[in-house]
Amino acid sequence: MARRLLISVDHLHCVGNGMCLATAPAVFAHNDERQSVVTDPAGAPEEVVLRAAASCPTGAIRVEDAATGKVIFP
């Protein structure tokens, strides 16, 4: 069974370039300010979510294990 992820986007660092949306469109979307937001943390397999987080040029995405709070990325 896949672990549940807690995904957050730091809006002080997000510049809205959309790399996370391109990588995991079922997980991320843009808000009205054109910054990324998480729409469905279970919308893609963990490896896709981690690839999307790694693609963020400003490092604005953080991924944690929802059950333990352990940081998975960065």
Side-chain angles (χ1 to χ4, degrees):
M1 181 173 186
R3 63 180 157 183
R4 283 185 29 244
L5 301 177
L6 177 62
I7 308 165
S8 58
V9 179
D10 182 344
H11 287 164
L12 294 176
H13 292 99
C14 178
V15 295
N17 80 342
M19 290 302 298
C20 60
L21 278 74
T23 306
V27 176
F28 297 95
H30 274 152
N31 64 16
D32 291 341
E33 287 77 37
R34 198 163 155 49
Q35 290 184 305
S36 296
V37 293
V38 178
T39 57
D40 181 4
E46 182 175 331
E47 58 271 10
V48 174
V49 171
L50 294 176
R51 192 166 48 246
S55 74
C56 179
T58 63
I61 301 171
R62 179 180 176 105
V63 183
E64 301 175 31
D65 182 311
T68 66
K70 179 181 177 190
V71 176
I72 302 168
F73 188 90

